[in-house]
Amino acid sequence: MNVSATPSAAPLPEQINAHLLHTVAVDPDRASPSDLMQATAQVARAQLSKRWVATQTLERTHKARRVVYLSMEFLMGRTLSNALDALNLTQGASAGLAQHAQQLEDIADLERDAALGNGGLGRLAACFLDSMATLGLPSFGYGIRYEYGMFAQEIQNGSQVEYPDSWLQDGTPWEFPRADITYPVRFGGWVTHKNDIAIWQHAGEVAAKAYDMVVPGHGTTKVSTLRLWKAVAPAHFDLGAFNTGDYARAASTKNEFENISWVLYPNDSTPAGRELRLKQEYFFVAASMQDLVKRHLNEHPTLHNLAEHVAIHLNDTHPAIGVAELMRILCDEHGFNWDHAWALCGKTFSYTNHTLMPEALETWPVSLIQQVLPRHLEIIFRINKEFLDLAARFRPGDHEFLKRLSLIDETGERRVRMAHLSVVGSQQVNGVSALHSELLVHTIFADFASLWPKRFTNMTNGVTPRRWLAQANPGLARLLDDTLGNQWRTNLDQLKRLEDRLGDHDFANKFMAIKRANKVRLADLIEKTTGITVSPDSLFDVQVKRIHEYKRQLLNVLHVVGRYQAILANPDAPWVPRTVIFAGKAASSYQAAKSIIRLIHDVGLTINNDPRVGDKLKLVFIPNYGVSVAETIMPGADLSEQVSTAGTEASGTGNMKLALNGALTIGTDDGANIEIRQNVGDENIFIFGLKTPEVRDLRVAGYHPLNYYDNNPALRAVLDAIGGGQFSPDEPSRYSALMNSLVWGGDHYMLLADYASYVATQAQVDALYHQPDEWCRRAIRNVAGMGVFSSDRTIAQYANDIWHVTSLGD
Ligand code: 26Q
């Protein structure tokens, strides 16, 4: 088909005006900032849809092997700046908006974040899509179009309050509803068997409707697709109620169907064992599998070669029911025999684990799966039986071995272990940092690794340099362009060449000036969101991530209080002025995490208003941490706090974003911190505390936090001050439970054991900050070493070693 005189041929300012008139329907001379945002987005959307069609056509004609990335979460953030950048339209859009007396940056700020995820795992999925598109890999992300994403966090009287995130309220220009792509998803009922054929007599059905988001690649015209499913009532639901005028009943029936895709579970650790969550998992997996099977059958006459054309990746266990679903489709709907179907399955799936913590591993009561997905339960039982038969041949007579391996946990109420289903159903299983992958095969998957050593591998996480450097830090991006050329955007290893600049004063001055400007920007955000004025000349000490006991924000607070007391005791010492910055959300039901947020506010209130302290120390909490807030924080940080108990943080990705933007890390020997150290050099990172084997040994030998309390007077003074109510005089016992959990309650994450080492290392940080030139040199050295942490590198490894997919070329 010939499409002539496309509107995109016109200069960009004209295109924006045309969209103001035709799409937004306003007079271009009277357009509001929000109108301008809509119109600019429409310009980008139109060009992206062309790229989308071209990419799809190419992939179809080549019958390309594709990767399908299944994830309950995609934390995309905003799209406008990223899309304009990918389309090389940033300058044109700026010029067009200038004609309306607006700056692109301000207009882009009006867009709401697509916050369809909790934290690291969801943002990783978004970085991965960016890299898949940029590498030109035939790829499809599948997820849920939550009506409400991650809750918005407000702080009221120092405490977190959650508000619904109605991100779709005013519509989004970035989605393409696919009215013709709808699949039924079934639930409940029972199973009958006739001549070896299982028939699922389901009890309920909901429709899954596709909404596509285009994911632009950079430096290529390739785009990728994120297909999100919305649950809608089937066309003829409860017609009876409707016809008899009982609209209330009709509406409530409709809601029962549609609530499946209403809201993201804001929990990233202790899984909510709720029926609705299980339905969400099956809902999006079932729709995605039907879609990929249909797309396969459009290009091929049979499903026998499915594994040759698609690699299905499980982002954690959340989509693990997909293994049983593919078996069901193959056996029950396409007449495959079991062994054949199972062989195919085993060549198709791969699985990434994101946590070692037992309480975070997903299990579902057998009774619940029986009720919601009876056929899948049968399939899981059969997978288990055949698997245990095989394992029994490997270690005859070892019943404990089989119990540990079983897909069913029989201690107490019987439960399905989704991680075991994922391992058994996948050809490759990976962790997300070298340490984490190593621990996987020695701890939770040790028995599996003894059976299948080759199944386990490592894929260290990465972050996209487009969003986390080019977009978030335009100042540094420009300096890099001037110094290295612009290839670093798609080849981050180019950053290595910064090592040639380590003695270059002119470069260092520019680098420091950029950091200073980014700190001013961050100080503005702090002022705007908290009302607290902080000095950009102070050391910006940043800990931003979900609030979690294992991430030890509390250890950081203990250090702040210790420093406060030391400043009061010795006000004339040459203190390095510090601003300690926190941000992060606590799961709504996680009381300890909420208490830590409140403590940060209480301590901040005291310190920030103590005239004896002044600029020497400030403590702030930036509310509503999310992708867009992070884009302002990362470039403005001097110091990156990565202080999890060794062996608990699978990888971390914030650690990479901060170092990439020139922050030095103070951290434990944990997750990807270890690989950051290897890449930036021991002398350019502050590592402290117990290492993973030492944590383990201390636990085995018997950990006695009281000893640290008794033997370290400074630590004791800190714990007593907080526990005794110095920061909560209106309610002196507010933090006694929190402090008691450390001193008397076992201090599970060993804060007290690491405290002295942490404080001593913070003193080294201060000493280095006293030498700005040396600090700057090390910050530059950090940036230079971050090339390997591009998600392009990660995705290239997945593509080569796990998925076996290749780019089709431009
Ligand atoms: C499971 C069941 C029911 C409800 C919720 C969940 C759930 C949801 C989200 C469980 C876990 C998560 C998220 C986990 C997560 O973000 N993990 C982080 O993943 C990052 C990317 O690999 C790592 O860098 C972090 O170390 C890891 O904590």
Side-chain angles (χ1 to χ4, degrees):
M1 186 175 56
N2 250 334
V3 184
S4 56
T6 53
S8 55
L12 214 80
E14 282 175 35
Q15 290 184 51
I16 293 178
N17 286 340
H19 275 293
L20 282 169
L21 197 59
H22 298 129
T23 319
V24 188
V26 295
D27 176 351
D29 293 333
R30 302 171 54 87
S32 70
S34 142
D35 297 333
L36 286 163
M37 192 264 284
Q38 296 297 337
T40 314
Q42 291 299 334
V43 173
R45 178 188 157 108
Q47 302 212 11
L48 286 176
S49 59
K50 280 206 277 185
R51 291 187 177 193
W52 198 81
V53 170
T55 307
Q56 290 301 307
T57 307
L58 186 71
E59 290 177 10
R60 250 196 330 269
T61 16
H62 284 78
K63 299 185 192 251
R65 176 172 169 84
R66 297 189 181 88
V67 54
V68 161
Y69 196 82
L70 298 180
S71 179
M72 286 285 277
E73 305 195 4
F74 289 92
L75 206 36
M76 303 298 284
R78 292 181 180 136
T79 294
L80 182 60
S81 303
N82 181 51
L84 291 174
D85 190 52
L87 292 161
N88 281 322
L89 294 181
T90 304
Q91 279 192 352
S94 298
L97 292 169
Q99 293 187 358
H100 298 264
Q102 294 291 338
Q103 297 211 337
L104 176 56
E105 199 182 310
D106 299 330
I107 293 298
D109 263 353
L110 298 175
E111 186 184 342
R112 299 189 64 147
D113 276 30
L116 308 183
N118 270 285
L121 168 150
R123 182 55 229 178
L124 185 76
C127 284
F128 279 7
L129 290 181
D130 181 280
S131 287
M132 289 181 220
T134 297
L135 295 179
L137 299 179
S139 53
F140 240 77
Y142 282 111
I144 296 178
R145 181 181 179 274
Y146 300 106
E147 206 79 29
Y148 296 92
M150 188 60 201
F151 66 78
Q153 177 195 56
E154 280 188 21
I155 303 296
Q156 288 172 14
N157 300 321
S159 297
Q160 168 176 300
V161 180
E162 302 98 22
Y163 288 92
D165 163 48
S166 51
W167 72 293
L168 289 169
Q169 193 172 279
D170 304 319
T172 164
W174 301 114
E175 65 180 12
F176 294 77
R178 303 288 182 201
D180 52 332
I181 304 183
T182 304
Y183 299 97
V185 176
R186 293 161 179 150
F187 295 101
W190 63 92
V191 185
T192 56
H193 292 265
K194 230 197 270 164
N195 314 327
D196 244 22
I197 293 180
I199 300 165
W200 178 13
Q201 314 276 359
H202 60 274
E205 178 179 311
V206 51
K209 273 188 76 171
Y211 287 75
D212 288 348
M213 315 261 258
V214 186
V215 180
H218 293 254
T220 166
T221 57
K222 293 283 179 49
V223 300
S224 184
T225 309
L226 171 57
R227 179 159 288 174
L228 300 176
W229 301 104
K230 174 187 160 86
V232 296
H236 298 297
F237 73 96
D238 214 353
L239 218 52
F242 202 82
N243 285 337
T244 55
D246 191 350
Y247 298 125
R249 202 180 93 208
S252 98
T253 315
K254 185 170 158 73
N255 286 346
E256 252 170 61
F257 288 109
E258 306 200 341
N259 67 8
I260 291 183
S261 59
W262 264 352
V263 59
L264 167 81
Y265 274 91
N267 213 319
D268 69 346
S269 50
T270 39
R274 302 278 169 78
E275 179 176 336
L276 184 61
R277 166 79 187 194
L278 179 64
K279 284 186 166 171
Q280 286 186 333
E281 295 185 355
Y282 179 63
F283 164 75
F284 100 96
V285 165
S288 308
M289 300 301 257
Q290 289 179 70
D291 197 42
L292 79 86
V293 162
K294 181 166 173 223
R295 289 155 53 80
H296 182 86
L297 291 176
N298 281 340
E299 287 170 21
H300 307 273
T302 155
L303 287 177
H304 287 91
N305 61 349
L306 185 71
E308 285 145 45
H309 292 274
V310 55
I312 305 176
H313 199 85
L314 307 173
N315 193 24
D316 215 294
T317 58
H318 315 153
I321 195 69
V323 172
E325 174 67 0
L326 184 58
M327 287 302 287
R328 190 190 67 77
I329 292 172
L330 294 175
C331 295
D332 298 0
E333 296 184 355
H334 291 270
F336 279 57
N337 73 40
W338 180 271
D339 291 341
H340 187 180
W342 185 241
L344 196 158
C345 245
K347 283 188 259 166
T348 307
F349 286 99
S350 48
Y351 154 58
T352 298
N353 171 286
H354 297 265
T355 185
L356 291 158
M357 282 189 296
E359 71 271 20
L361 295 175
E362 227 184 344
T363 63
W364 291 103
V366 165
S367 57
L368 183 63
I369 299 196
Q370 168 74 58
Q371 185 193 315
V372 177
L373 300 169
R375 175 60 183 143
H376 296 78
L377 186 64
E378 287 186 351
I379 291 170
I380 289 168
F381 280 152
R382 172 132 186 222
I383 294 172
N384 196 37
K385 183 186 174 304
E386 308 219 342
F387 165 58
L388 292 180
D389 286 349
L390 179 138
R393 289 198 291 277
F394 184 75
R395 275 204 221 168
D398 190 343
H399 295 292
E400 287 306 311
F401 180 61
L402 298 187
K403 262 200 219 163
R404 293 196 303 269
L405 284 172
S406 176
L407 305 200
I408 312 296
D409 178 359
E410 315 249 4
T411 57
E413 181 191 26
R414 289 202 306 163
R415 303 178 76 94
V416 178
R417 296 162 161 158
M418 302 309 268
H420 292 208
L421 175 60
S422 305
V423 172
V424 172
S426 295
Q427 43 108 3
Q428 289 278 278
V429 176
N430 73 281
V432 289
S433 72
L435 172 71
H436 171 62
S437 298
E438 172 77 17
L439 291 173
L440 277 182
V441 300
H442 288 111
T443 61
I444 58 173
F445 297 145
D447 292 315
F448 290 100
S450 74
L451 266 178
W452 299 312
K454 288 208 218 103
R455 189 166 300 198
F456 295 87
T457 179
N458 173 244
M459 295 281 144
T460 298
N461 283 168
V463 302
T464 169
R466 273 73 64 181
R467 183 169 298 255
W468 297 110
L469 189 48
Q471 184 179 316
N473 198 341
L476 183 54
R478 229 169 292 126
L479 178 62
L480 295 175
D481 287 344
D482 294 345
T483 313
L484 310 171
N486 60 13
Q487 294 298 305
W488 57 270
R489 285 178 167 73
T490 48
N491 177 8
L492 202 62
D493 288 327
Q494 291 285 322
L495 293 180
K496 268 240 142 41
R497 291 168 46 216
L498 288 179
E499 284 180 10
D500 304 341
R501 300 294 173 136
L502 285 176
D504 180 341
H505 282 295
D506 180 49
F507 181 81
N509 288 337
K510 287 180 182 155
F511 186 89
M512 282 207 280
I514 291 161
K515 180 58 80 180
R516 180 76 174 42
N518 290 333
K519 288 171 74 174
V520 169
R521 202 153 62 103
L522 176 50
D524 289 345
L525 175 73
I526 292 169
E527 172 107 45
K528 200 176 89 206
T529 54
T530 69
I532 300 168
T533 308
V534 301
S535 165
D537 293 318
S538 61
L539 186 166
F540 277 12
D541 172 349
V542 170
Q543 187 170 17
V544 290
K545 50 184 78 246
R546 288 298 291 259
I547 312 292
H548 245 291
E549 288 161 284
Y550 83 82
K551 294 177 189 280
R552 299 201 297 189
Q553 281 93 353
L554 189 52
L555 178 61
N556 189 342
V557 178
L558 298 184
H559 165 248
V560 172
V561 171
R563 177 174 287 250
Y564 174 55
Q565 294 176 338
I567 290 172
L568 295 187
N570 195 359
D572 297 325
W575 292 102
V576 170
R578 270 210 201 208
T579 301
V580 179
I581 300 165
F582 285 95
K585 292 176 182 174
S588 358
S589 58
Y590 189 171
Q591 288 315 317
K594 287 188 147 177
S595 176
I596 291 167
I597 292 180
R598 184 143 196 218
L599 176 63
I600 293 168
H601 282 91
D602 278 341
V603 172
L605 212 55
T606 304
I607 294 181
N608 299 339
N609 296 303
D610 190 330
R612 298 168 295 178
V613 175
D615 270 355
K616 291 186 196 107
L617 186 58
K618 291 272 182 255
L619 172 57
V620 300
F621 185 96
I622 300 174
N624 205 31
Y625 185 59
V627 175
S628 293
V629 173
E631 285 172 33
T632 304
I633 296 178
M634 301 303 177
D638 292 310
L639 185 66
S640 159
E641 299 268 355
Q642 307 298 337
V643 302
S644 51
T645 314
T648 62
E649 187 70 272
S651 163
T653 46
N655 48 2
M656 301 169 188
K657 293 161 199 166
L658 284 158
L660 181 61
N661 282 280
L664 303 195
T665 302
I666 180 165
T668 46
D669 204 64
D670 200 15
N673 297 351
I674 296 173
E675 288 153 84
I676 293 178
R677 170 164 57 75
Q678 289 162 355
N679 282 279
V680 305
D682 290 356
E683 42 330 320
N684 302 306
I685 188 168
F686 300 95
I687 298 294
F688 72 93
L690 297 175
K691 307 211 178 311
T692 303
E694 294 166 341
V695 167
R696 193 187 43 220
D697 292 349
L698 185 54
R699 288 220 168 106
V700 171
Y703 172 51
H704 302 294
L706 189 60
N707 290 347
Y708 299 87
Y709 176 87
D710 284 339
N711 297 327
N712 183 342
L715 170 60
R716 186 163 66 238
V718 168
L719 296 168
D720 288 348
I722 299 172
Q726 192 189 327
F727 302 99
S728 52
D730 54 322
E731 188 193 346
S733 65
R734 187 175 294 154
Y735 302 109
S736 46
L738 198 59
M739 293 302 104
N740 285 342
S741 77
L742 301 180
V743 183
W744 304 102
D747 181 18
H748 186 64
Y749 294 106
M750 298 185 156
L751 282 70
L752 304 198
D754 277 347
Y755 184 76
S757 162
Y758 182 49
V759 170
T761 308
Q762 288 285 13
Q764 294 174 19
V765 171
D766 290 329
L768 186 66
Y769 204 73
H770 271 307
Q771 307 164 251
D773 292 343
E774 190 54 28
W775 182 284
C776 175
R777 187 189 152 82
R778 296 194 195 186
I780 294 169
R781 184 62 189 74
N782 266 263
V783 179
M786 292 306 290
V788 64
F789 298 102
S790 167
S791 47
D792 297 345
R793 185 271 310 151
T794 314
I795 286 300
Q797 283 180 332
Y798 275 98
N800 269 315
D801 302 347
I802 297 186
W803 302 330
H804 309 295
V805 289
T806 50
S807 163
L808 287 176
D810 254 334

